[in-house]
Structures are given as structure tokens and as C-alpha cells.
Amino acid sequence: MSLPLKGITVLEFSQYLAGPYAGLRLADLGARVIKIERPKGGDACRQLATKDLWVDGDSLLFHTINRNKESFCADLKQAEDLAQVKKLIAKADVITHNFRPGVMEKIGLDYEAVKAIKPDIIYAQVSGYGNTGPWVNKPGQDLLAQSLSGVTWLTGDVEGGPVPLGLAIADMLCGTHLGQGILAALVRRARHKIGAKVEASLLESMVDFQFEGLTTFLNNGQQAPQRSATANAHALLGAPYGIYQTADDYLAIAMVDLADLASALECPAIDLPQSQAFSQRETLKANLQKHLLSQSTSHWLARLRARGIWASEVLNYQQLLKHPAFEALAMPLTVQRPNRTRVVTTRCPIRFNNQTLRSIKAAPALGAHTNAIAEELLCDL
Amino acid sequence: MSLPLKGITVLEFSQYLAGPYAGLRLADLGARVIKIERPKGGDACRQLATKDLWVDGDSLLFHTINRNKESFCADLKQAEDLAQVKKLIAKADVITHNFRPGVMEKIGLDYEAVKAIKPDIIYAQVSGYGNTGPWVNKPGQDLLAQSLSGVTWLTGDVEGGPVPLGLAIADMLCGTHLGQGILAALVRRARHKIGAKVEASLLESMVDFQFEGLTTFLNNGQQAPQRSATANAHALLGAPYGIYQTADDYLAIAMVDLADLASALECPAIDLPQSQAFSQRETLKANLQKHLLSQSTSHWLARLRARGIWASEVLNYQQLLKHPAFEALAMPLTVQRPNRTRVVTTRCPIRFNNQTLRSIKAAPALGAHTNAIAEELLCDL
């Protein structure tokens, strides 16, 4: 199978997570992604370690995000390097960057300048808070974008303070949106031979992520979503939606008819009309939590499954990774570095023509491909 | 500006959130999206209300997800209706569905059958847990997918139980991945005139979302990520990363050098070497939390901003929506129904050629476009 983006070249000036996550997905889908990195240090993510874990001098995090890419070193402040980069741009299809406003203009690689080099270029940029307004120069960082977006008041139970999602959700969503914009622009370019500028930002992606909650807020007299006191899992949904403690573990229960649930669990305390599932959710959830503590997760699951009620156990990483259902998906992907170091990571979540996309190319050492790319693409002797 | 997907027609057999969210983004980007709905009830999301909110008989949630689409009614169990749908397929570019395994085969609209009607069709399907393994017939529902994916052990502080993210994260991510796969297939089709089958699932998207945590787990002797006891915001990052309570409100602090932070806050109790930010994070975060309780958020923010340290206030919806930075982005979007009912929702987060994408077409009433589409596309007299 030829991968869908075979033949597309992306120059990735982006650092950290959002832009490089877009680049990773384009690479998975078949694009050639070349990181353009500073000679001193490269992508700052190389030095950003999680849990103090490193592989061959770069953070494991960098390896996770940048597998299946090449690295080309250039100092954009040096005329000679900049001239080389401009030659690369002339042969590229897409460029991505996440520089602060004004930086690319100063270097001379803003959209208009790049378009003069390559008229049908797709120029994609990530920012923290969009391209206008008082936050335009604020640091574009995941936790800060979460904190400003309102999302921290949707997770956790109501008596607690704001709860950030424990992953870089703003970066990940912004990276997927940037990827969508780039791909849509490539569709248009393939049909109409014109390029485009594409922008996404952490904050706008976080607002889109909350479109259910914000639309409710905007059409409901600006009443803020209220988390429940027990087992909150979605501030806008009624009982029983949530995760509950049992005698030995936990149990997730999704949207379920209250009468069915009361009968399956022999719990008359939650047998109210379905129309009261939202308005009475505090009492219902508290009663349900109390009842579920009396027996084990497997006891309750057997009863719920017998009735076809939507419920499940709550797994941790150890349990998930040894589960036959996870093994069947073959998500882990072992990539191999030229020095034979191996890193186990996870594959692209998209399947294409019944196949998973499993490039085993590891993340590049800083500048590993500078010479080869220069010979291949910059040789104009 | 011509929108990038102008001229592309999508038939959306998908219901609820993941597939229709992919369709919404394709519509934002210029595609014509036609929902194919059962005459009795249509997309089940029409009856799934959040907070008991309804607009013209359909849930506000349905309106949020399905703005900018058309609705065509067809009973796929009736030969005449099915024949009409097959004629529509012959004129479509993309179809999406989220039926359980086997349903489309039974109807006669599986990929091979559809490809026989339209050889270059892009056939996109959403499932809960992929196309193989023991969970293949399990209900594909957001909270259950979260609970099985391990993600609930990453959010909240360590002494608590599993904490689900308070939004439909699995649906949203899966919808963005499906959209990326469809767009990549459209790029290939524009260049090579061939269609493709594209698949995404809630679980695979949740695994990809955790690629940082899972890669760490897989390369670190399968040690599970451990949430911190105070201000957990990312199980893999050291102090001070988190949201803290102050004398009057909350304060988010991102990655910061400990010595800089200790100096800015006059808090010697956190002045440890940076190399201990992860290993000593419990003590550091506890000491920092205690210190921050002594003054207000604005007091601390003034000191942190003076040093350029990455920190911010924590906003709720009321505060966010009246903030000039949010107003500058013009995210709210008012859509209008034919009967003049208005719904305020949020726009597409992607900017294209410096413009936001702001179609004001509202969600369709069930079957609102059946006759018009039949006249336009099915007329073969």
C-alpha cells in the first residue's frame, strides 16, 4: 500500500509538542518530515525530560514525539544557513512553526516571504492564544492554556478546586487541528494548485473541545456547568454517569435508564423516573455509591452485563497492557536507532485500508540528516 | 476565499459524537455534509440531552455537533430507500458510519459493496475498540473507553480514586483522528484517483493521547505513572507543575526553575537544585502550597510576571467569556434556523488564510433536506 501522503515534504520548525505532534501524524501518514533545528541544542524538547528518562542524550519525550522524522541543522541567524533553508523551502510542500509573533518576520520567513520562494506552500503555525488580543504574547503552554480555558472546572468532584487534566490536552488537540488544517489545504492544493496559511492555537482548540459545555452555557443564561458531588464524570449529564468505588475496586457506569439500573443492582434507592436523572443526580449518585460499596466490581459487572447495561471495570496501565483486547490491537511499536538502541512507543491510531501504520524509524539525532539532505536537495553545482 | 473542501460531499451515517464531530470539521472546512437518518428519530443524539436543554424538539447537544449539515431521511431496511441511498453514494466523495461490526455488511453497504458503486469512495468508520479482539462488540462509549484506557489514573491527586476527564475526550480525539484519516485519503485521491477505507476507534485514540505516559511506562520497567499528592497536573513532571490554592483563589505554575521560583516568591523551602524537581516533588509541592496560601493570586502573579515565570490565573466560564482576550478571538458563533430560532455555539478552531470559518447554517430538522436532495441528486427522469 502506498501511504496517503507519500511524496509530500514537511519542514518542521516547530518545537515541543503541539506542532511536532502534527508533524508526527503527517509522517505516520507517509509524509517526509524534516525538522529544521538550531545547531546548539535543537528542538528544546530534546532537553525536556519526563521522569528524568533519556535515550542517547535526548529526552525519552523527544523520542516519543519525533520518531519517523529527519533532522537538518541550520542557524537561521546566519545568512549562509538561511539561504540553504530557503532552498529547502523551494522544494517543500508544508512548513510548520510555533515561534512567537514577529520572530519569523524578523528572520524573513513570514508567510509572504515564504510564498515568494514557493508560491503554493502550505504555511502552518501554532500559537498559544491566537493571532490577536491581549494574550497574543503570553507563553503558549499547556497548563496555562488549560487554566485560562475554563476546562479545569469540569473535572473532579464539586467540593474540590479546579482539576487540570493530567496530560497535555491543549497541545494534543491543537496539534490534531493543525494537522487537519494542513491536510485540508493539501486537498485544495492538489485540486486547485494554490497554497494557504493555516493557524491553530492552544486556547482556540480548548474552546472547541468544550463546545458542548460552552454552547450549554451560552444558551442557558450563562449558568456555569456544575460538577456533581459524587462520581463526577461530565458536568452536564445526570445520574448515574460516573466512576464509583466498590467493595474491592472501581466501576464505570455510562448513560443508563434508572429503572433498569435499580432492578439490575437491586437498589430501590435509585428507582426514580428517568426525567429526574439530572435534577436529582446528587441524591441518586450518593445512594448508588453507598450501595455499590457492598459488593465487588465483578459481582456488579456480572449483573449489569446480563442486562446489557453500559458499564465497565476501570483499568490501570498494568491491567490494560496485558489484556488480550489491548494485545489484539498491536499498539506498541518498537523503533530502532542507527546505533541499535530501541525505543518502544505507540503507533498511529488511524487504520488505512485495513492496515496499521508502523514505520520503525526512530527519532533523529540532532543534525543527523544535514549532510544527506544537503547532498540530495541542495546540490546545485 | 474558497473553502478548502468546497465541492466535496460527505454522507454521514454516523450518530452521537465521534463521527459527527469529524463531519462538523469537514463541513467547517467547506464540505457538504448530508446526514443520512432513520425516518423514526434520526441520529439518536437528537434525543440525548445535556441539562435537559432542547431546541425545537432536538437536544441542544445535537445542535452543537450538527450545525452546517443537511438531513436526508432513509430507512435502510426498505429496498426503495436503500436504492436512493446507493444513488447518493454514487455522487458522494466520503461516507462515515459508526455502526457495530456486521451491520453495514447486513445492509449491503460494507466497503466492498460501496466501492462497487463508487470506486474512489473514502469509506470511514468509527468503532469503540478497533476491528479485532475480545472487545470488538463492546459498547463504544466515551466513559467506558476512558475507564479501560488507563487515563483515569493520570488526573487528580494520588490519594483519590480514578478521575475521568469531565468531557467526552475519547469521542473528540477519535473524531479528530477520523477527520485526519479522511483528509489524508482525500489528498491521495486528488493525486492518484483512488479511494480508501479509513478507521479510527475510541480506544486507539485514547492510547495515542497517552503516548507520553505509555512510552515512559514501556521503557521504564513498566512502572506506572504516579500522580503527586499535591497539585497534580501531569504524573510525569516534577515540581512545581500544577494548580495551587492561594489566599483568595487559585494559581497555575508551569515548568519553572526552582531557584528562580524560590526567589520570586521568597520561598526558601523550595530552593533545591533543579535536578531534584522530580524526585523531591512531594515535599516541594507541599511546601509551595503552604506558602502560596499566605497571599492572593494577584500578589503572586505580579511577582512571577516581573520575572517572566510561566504562571497564570485559573478562569471559569464567566471570567473567560468576558475577558478581552477571549472577546478578541470571536469564538462564539450564532447560527440561525429557518424558523428564526437562534443558537449560540462556538466556531471552528482552525484559521485559514487569516480568516475564521463562520458558517451560520444551523443543524437540520430531521429530513429537512430529503426532498431537495432527491430533486437535485436523484432525479434521473
Side-chain angles (χ1 to χ4, degrees):
Chain A
M1 179 183 69
S2 81
L3 289 169
L5 302 184
K6 191 160 185 263
I8 299 288
T9 299
V10 179
L11 302 184
E12 177 172 289
F13 296 81
S14 303
Q15 302 188 72
Y16 293 115
L17 180 48
Y21 180 57
L24 175 62
R25 199 70 342 120
L26 298 174
D28 281 335
L29 290 164
R32 178 183 189 178
V33 179
I34 302 172
K35 291 182 79 71
I36 308 295
E37 298 190 84
R38 298 172 287 147
K40 283 190 183 155
D43 182 343
C45 187
R46 290 181 182 271
Q47 296 307 310
L48 178 66
T50 51
K51 269 188 112 174
D52 297 330
L53 292 173
W54 304 84
V55 175
D56 294 343
D58 293 312
S59 70
L60 178 62
L61 185 61
F62 175 82
H63 285 271
T64 307
I65 305 166
N66 295 286
R67 62 177 175 76
N68 205 7
K69 300 181 185 174
E70 300 171 36
S71 171
F72 181 91
C73 270
D75 181 348
L76 300 176
K77 290 175 185 156
Q78 299 294 331
E80 198 181 329
D81 285 19
L82 186 59
Q84 284 214 317
V85 166
K86 287 182 176 174
K87 283 190 196 170
L88 282 183
I89 288 173
K91 298 187 176 178
D93 303 287
V94 178
I95 82 170
T96 77
H97 82 81
N98 67 334
F99 290 113
R100 296 267 192 113
V103 172
M104 281 303 234
E105 284 75 4
K106 203 170 160 189
I107 295 169
L109 292 179
D110 52 293
Y111 179 46
E112 293 306 323
V114 168
K115 202 161 60 165
I117 302 166
K118 183 74 171 20
D120 65 350
I121 196 79
I122 292 163
Y123 187 97
Q125 69 187 63
V126 169
S127 68
Y129 307 92
N131 59 11
T132 182
W135 288 346
V136 78
N137 287 306
K138 213 179 174 70
Q141 195 281 329
D142 189 86
L143 181 62
L144 307 188
Q146 282 198 47
S147 298
L148 293 169
S149 78
V151 80
T152 64
W153 294 101
L154 300 182
T155 294
D157 294 338
V158 69
E159 72 270 23
V163 178
L165 312 194
L167 309 87
I169 176 71
D171 281 319
M172 300 289 281
L173 284 170
C174 179
T176 58
H177 291 142
L178 192 77
Q180 287 182 328
I182 291 168
L183 288 162
L186 283 168
V187 172
R188 190 171 81 144
R189 198 190 66 157
R191 300 161 81 216
H192 303 296
K193 318 290 174 213
I194 46 174
K197 182 177 175 189
V198 174
E199 292 166 275
S201 73
L202 303 185
L203 183 65
E204 285 163 295
S205 287
M206 286 308 290
V207 169
D208 177 67
F209 179 40
Q210 299 174 82
F211 74 154
E212 289 180 9
L214 283 165
T215 301
T216 300
F217 181 76
L218 289 163
N219 295 278
N220 189 31
Q222 308 233 336
Q223 285 179 35
Q226 191 81 354
R227 300 173 292 182
S228 60
T230 305
N232 178 63
H234 196 303
L236 302 175
L237 293 177
Y241 201 82
I243 293 180
Y244 295 84
Q245 198 167 359
T246 64
D248 67 340
D249 201 350
Y250 293 89
L251 176 67
I253 308 180
M255 300 88 164
V256 180
D257 182 77
L258 289 172
D260 286 352
L261 188 66
S263 161
L265 301 176
E266 293 183 35
C267 180
I270 59 164
D271 195 0
L272 290 192
Q274 192 58 26
S275 59
Q276 295 177 33
F278 190 81
S279 60
Q280 297 299 313
R281 67 176 176 158
E282 295 299 359
T283 310
L284 286 163
K285 290 179 112 176
N287 288 343
L288 178 58
Q289 175 56 86
K290 196 173 158 199
H291 184 72
L292 290 171
L293 280 173
S294 65
Q295 297 283 349
S296 69
T297 293
S298 62
H299 171 90
W300 298 125
L301 270 179
R303 286 165 168 259
L304 295 166
R305 285 182 180 149
R307 305 277 192 116
I309 289 176
W310 287 12
S312 86
E313 60 274 53
V314 180
L315 302 184
N316 60 28
Y317 279 4
Q318 282 90 348
Q319 294 166 318
L320 172 68
L321 265 71
K322 70 182 180 201
H323 198 289
F326 182 82
E327 286 172 358
L329 295 175
M331 291 290 295
L333 176 71
T334 302
V335 295
Q336 187 159 343
R337 310 206 59 231
N339 67 1
R340 302 203 173 184
T341 306
R342 288 177 177 193
V343 175
V344 187
T345 181
T346 55
R347 66 165 168 81
C348 177
I350 304 166
R351 278 167 203 255
F352 207 83
N353 286 344
N354 295 317
Q355 292 180 37
T356 57
L357 311 173
R358 309 188 67 88
S359 166
I360 62 156
K361 202 162 104 186
L366 179 59
H369 306 88
T370 307
N371 292 338
I373 290 169
E375 270 185 41
E376 178 194 350
L377 297 176
L378 302 177
C379 210
D380 47 13
L381 297 176
Chain B
M1 179 184 67
S2 82
L3 289 169
L5 301 184
K6 190 158 185 263
I8 300 287
T9 300
V10 179
L11 302 185
E12 179 172 287
F13 296 81
S14 302
Q15 302 189 71
Y16 293 115
L17 180 49
Y21 179 57
L24 175 62
R25 199 71 341 119
L26 298 173
D28 281 335
L29 291 163
R32 176 182 191 178
V33 179
I34 301 171
K35 292 182 78 71
I36 308 294
E37 300 189 83
R38 298 173 286 147
K40 283 189 185 156
D43 182 342
C45 187
R46 290 182 182 271
Q47 296 307 309
L48 179 66
T50 52
K51 268 187 111 172
D52 296 330
L53 293 172
W54 304 84
V55 175
D56 294 342
D58 293 312
S59 71
L60 178 61
L61 184 61
F62 175 83
H63 285 270
T64 307
I65 305 165
N66 295 287
R67 61 176 174 76
N68 204 8
K69 300 181 185 174
E70 301 172 36
S71 171
F72 181 91
C73 269
D75 181 348
L76 301 176
K77 291 175 187 157
Q78 300 294 330
E80 197 182 331
D81 286 18
L82 185 60
Q84 284 213 317
V85 166
K86 287 183 176 174
K87 282 190 195 170
L88 283 182
I89 288 173
K91 298 188 176 178
D93 302 287
V94 178
I95 83 170
T96 77
H97 82 80
N98 67 335
F99 289 114
R100 297 267 191 113
V103 172
M104 280 304 234
E105 284 75 4
K106 203 169 158 187
I107 295 171
L109 292 179
D110 53 292
Y111 179 46
E112 293 306 323
V114 168
K115 202 162 61 165
I117 301 168
K118 184 73 173 18
D120 65 350
I121 195 80
I122 292 161
Y123 187 96
Q125 69 186 64
V126 169
S127 68
Y129 307 92
N131 59 10
T132 182
W135 288 347
V136 78
N137 287 306
K138 213 178 172 71
Q141 194 282 329
D142 189 86
L143 180 63
L144 307 188
Q146 283 198 46
S147 298
L148 293 169
S149 79
V151 79
T152 64
W153 294 101
L154 300 181
T155 294
D157 294 339
V158 70
E159 71 271 22
V163 178
L165 312 193
L167 310 86
I169 176 69
D171 281 318
M172 300 290 281
L173 284 170
C174 180
T176 59
H177 291 143
L178 192 77
Q180 287 182 329
I182 291 168
L183 288 163
L186 283 169
V187 172
R188 189 171 83 145
R189 197 190 67 157
R191 299 161 81 216
H192 304 295
K193 319 289 175 215
I194 46 173
K197 181 177 175 188
V198 173
E199 292 166 274
S201 72
L202 303 184
L203 183 64
E204 286 163 294
S205 287
M206 287 307 291
V207 168
D208 176 68
F209 179 40
Q210 299 176 81
F211 74 154
E212 290 180 9
L214 283 165
T215 301
T216 300
F217 180 77
L218 289 163
N219 295 278
N220 189 32
Q222 309 232 335
Q223 286 178 36
Q226 191 81 354
R227 299 173 293 182
S228 59
T230 306
N232 179 65
H234 196 303
L236 302 175
L237 292 176
Y241 202 83
I243 293 180
Y244 296 85
Q245 198 167 359
T246 65
D248 66 340
D249 200 349
Y250 293 89
L251 176 67
I253 309 180
M255 300 88 165
V256 182
D257 182 77
L258 289 172
D260 286 354
L261 188 65
S263 162
L265 301 177
E266 293 182 35
C267 180
I270 58 164
D271 195 358
L272 289 193
Q274 191 58 25
S275 59
Q276 295 176 34
F278 189 82
S279 60
Q280 297 299 314
R281 67 175 176 159
E282 295 299 359
T283 311
L284 286 163
K285 291 179 112 176
N287 288 342
L288 179 58
Q289 175 58 85
K290 197 174 156 197
H291 185 73
L292 290 171
L293 280 172
S294 65
Q295 297 283 349
S296 69
T297 293
S298 62
H299 171 91
W300 297 125
L301 269 180
R303 286 165 167 259
L304 294 167
R305 284 182 181 150
R307 306 278 192 113
I309 289 175
W310 286 12
S312 86
E313 60 274 52
V314 179
L315 303 184
N316 60 29
Y317 279 3
Q318 282 90 349
Q319 294 166 320
L320 172 67
L321 266 72
K322 71 182 182 202
H323 197 290
F326 182 82
E327 287 173 358
L329 295 175
M331 291 289 296
L333 176 71
T334 302
V335 295
Q336 187 158 346
R337 311 206 60 232
N339 67 2
R340 303 205 171 181
T341 306
R342 288 177 179 194
V343 175
V344 187
T345 181
T346 55
R347 65 164 168 83
C348 177
I350 304 165
R351 279 167 203 256
F352 207 83
N353 287 344
N354 295 317
Q355 293 180 36
T356 56
L357 312 174
R358 310 188 67 87
S359 165
I360 61 156
K361 201 162 104 186
L366 180 60
H369 306 88
T370 308
N371 291 339
I373 290 168
E375 270 184 41
E376 178 194 350
L377 298 176
L378 301 177
C379 212
D380 47 12
L381 297 175

